[in-house]
Amino acid sequence: MYLTETQEQVRDMTRAFADEVIRPAAEALDRDERFPSEIYDQMAELGLFGIGVPEELGGPGFDTLTYAVVMEELARGYASVADQCGLLELISTLLVRHGTEAQRRMLPEVLAMKRKVAYCITEPEAGTDVSGIRTTAVRDGDGWVLNGGKIWIHNAPVADTGFVLARTDKEAGNRGMSIFIVDLHAAGVERGPKEHKMGQRASQVGALNFTDVRLGPDALLGEQNRGFHMMMSVLDKGRVGIASLAVGIGQAGLEAALEYAGTRKQFGKAIAEFQGVQWLLADMAKDIEAARLLVHSAATKIDRGRDATKACSMAKCFAGDMAVARTADAVQVFGGSGYIRGFEVERLYRDAKITQIYEGTNQIQRMIIARELLKKGARG
């Protein structure tokens, strides 16, 4: 195995936590759509947030491959919980790379889940096309005034602090956006109702509206008008995270289907003895392993400082499509039971769908892959 001893130890610790703490709670969390603070507190104690944050800044200082391994194991327990790990990885990466010394001082609170955060990009007319954002931040003295609205924001119903992408130069397109750190309890911030989603239902999502929200000069993260580029700089890692999450969902589906096939009997024998079921299980296993290897290859390219854009888009696209197709196979193995609430594979099928959509739809990933091929060739 190519994982280091440390990576294997982190994987085994995360797997045990997922089996003992996350997975037993997943059905109730999905049903109640509850933010599981008690699970996140335990994850913080185990150091499962901010995987890539250097030790001197309060993190474990692990690489992207370790992050991918952690995301898979968490998602194997419940994808909503893994989503929180992915969110904090992106926020902490932005703070480490672009934050001032004062801004970085919030990292311990963020990684301990004492300060809940939200990454606020999507708007009604700006999803895949981020250039369409209309939220603005206008200079006012040495500070700013923020106006606009965001939708489908992860953690919006519970977050204390938002990292908000806003337009600071209306004429400059992508070169006219900046990221601001916003107190979501401040005057002028209004939260919309919690959305009720198809899957990953304990990962809370909602709208945020900003009306004349006053920001101090220290609210700007990094350079003015570099927000789009800063956001794009973490997309590769974000796509590795979602791809790993998709692999974890697929793995959970395979494990459930394999166990069920060995115990469910029809025509006097276990359905695992029928070739049609065996082929379903075989296809699940090979595609999950292929997706895992694509993810680990992309993560390793990031860690080695190589151009990883195509690899990350390939991993995210393939893993997302795999998760949807192979959790559908898991439902098929279960037959009618797989269509009933309370059976894990029914939830896994619903949880998988969003992996084809967020962090850039899989149609956009195909465009990126094709663009990289045309630019750099088949071996580029």
Side-chain angles (χ1 to χ4, degrees):
M1 184 62 177
Y2 50 81
L3 296 180
T4 66
E5 183 178 351
T6 298
Q7 287 167 336
E8 289 182 347
Q9 289 172 348
V10 172
R11 179 200 62 198
D12 293 346
M13 176 194 72
T14 310
R15 182 177 296 171
F17 181 77
D19 284 336
E20 295 165 12
V21 178
I22 301 174
R23 206 164 191 172
E27 181 185 346
L29 290 174
D30 176 73
R31 181 186 65 241
D32 300 335
E33 303 182 32
R34 183 176 65 81
F35 186 86
S37 297
E38 73 286 355
I39 291 178
Y40 296 144
D41 288 344
Q42 293 177 70
M43 288 171 61
E45 291 177 7
L46 291 172
L48 293 177
F49 291 129
I51 302 297
V53 174
E55 292 183 64
E56 61 269 23
L57 293 177
F62 291 135
D63 58 11
T64 310
L65 180 55
T66 307
Y67 167 58
V69 168
V70 167
M71 283 290 286
E72 177 184 337
E73 296 299 336
L74 291 174
R76 181 179 151 273
Y78 184 26
S80 284
V81 172
D83 254 342
Q84 194 71 210
C85 178
L87 171 65
L88 265 63
E89 190 68 22
L90 293 186
I91 293 294
S92 61
T93 300
L94 284 171
L95 280 170
V96 168
R97 291 182 182 176
H98 305 289
T100 63
E101 184 177 347
Q103 289 168 341
R104 288 177 180 175
R105 282 200 285 269
M106 74 173 68
L107 273 169
E109 281 188 313
V110 171
L111 301 187
M113 286 297 289
K114 303 300 182 187
R115 182 199 294 255
K116 300 178 184 67
V117 294
Y119 194 27
C120 309
I121 296 174
T122 304
E123 299 182 10
E125 296 186 21
T128 297
D129 180 15
V130 177
S131 65
I133 70 164
R134 296 185 175 183
T135 296
T136 60
V138 178
R139 275 286 188 186
D140 183 52
D142 62 352
W144 304 82
V145 176
L146 181 70
N147 281 282
K150 303 290 182 177
I151 59 170
W152 304 332
I153 302 303
H154 186 187
N155 275 4
V158 297
D160 303 301
T161 303
F163 287 69
V164 180
L165 186 67
R167 192 169 293 284
T168 42
D169 185 340
K170 294 181 180 180
E171 308 302 323
N174 292 343
R175 292 184 173 87
M177 302 180 194
S178 305
I179 296 176
F180 294 89
I181 303 174
V182 180
D183 177 4
L184 297 182
H185 302 291
V189 179
E190 180 183 1
R191 300 173 200 255
K194 180 176 72 174
E195 301 287 358
H196 299 286
K197 300 182 294 174
M198 170 182 170
Q200 300 193 24
R201 289 155 56 88
S203 175
Q204 299 201 358
V205 168
L208 292 166
N209 294 301
F210 309 104
T211 304
D212 294 333
V213 179
R214 304 194 70 81
L215 307 174
D218 57 346
L220 179 66
L221 179 69
E223 294 181 42
Q224 181 178 337
N225 295 331
R226 294 288 295 173
F228 178 83
H229 304 278
M230 290 158 55
M231 180 198 70
M232 294 297 289
S233 74
V234 299
L235 273 185
D236 281 350
K237 192 173 190 179
R239 286 168 180 161
V240 163
I242 299 305
S244 304
L245 181 149
V247 173
I249 293 173
Q251 181 68 30
L254 173 60
E255 292 175 13
L258 191 60
E259 180 181 2
Y260 186 81
T263 57
R264 171 68 168 165
K265 291 188 177 181
Q266 291 287 280
F267 306 103
K269 58 183 178 180
I271 63 172
E273 296 183 40
F274 294 103
Q275 187 180 65
V277 173
Q278 291 175 356
W279 285 7
L280 285 173
L281 296 171
D283 283 344
M284 291 173 72
K286 68 178 177 59
D287 284 1
I288 291 164
E289 184 64 14
R292 180 179 292 117
L293 292 173
L294 274 173
V295 172
H296 289 186
S297 174
T300 300
K301 286 184 178 179
I302 292 175
D303 290 334
R304 292 179 178 176
R306 296 172 58 187
D307 182 357
T309 296
K310 183 179 74 173
C312 293
S313 286
M314 289 172 66
K316 195 271 182 187
C317 185
F318 185 86
D321 288 348
M322 175 280 296
V324 172
R326 297 316 174 196
T327 53
D329 287 344
V331 171
Q332 194 72 18
V333 170
F334 272 72
S337 297
Y339 201 65
I340 303 299
R341 286 287 177 98
F343 284 85
E344 184 181 25
V345 293
E346 183 271 341
R347 173 180 55 79
L348 292 170
Y349 188 32
R350 289 185 287 107
D351 287 347
K353 180 58 189 175
I354 192 64
T355 65
Q356 294 179 307
I357 298 172
Y358 61 179
E359 285 300 318
T361 67
N362 280 7
Q363 286 69 35
I364 286 294
Q365 303 312 318
R366 287 172 167 84
M367 290 174 63
I368 293 169
I369 294 164
R371 181 193 67 200
E372 294 294 303
L373 285 170
L374 294 170
K375 187 193 308 182
K376 299 173 183 175
R379 295 183 181 275

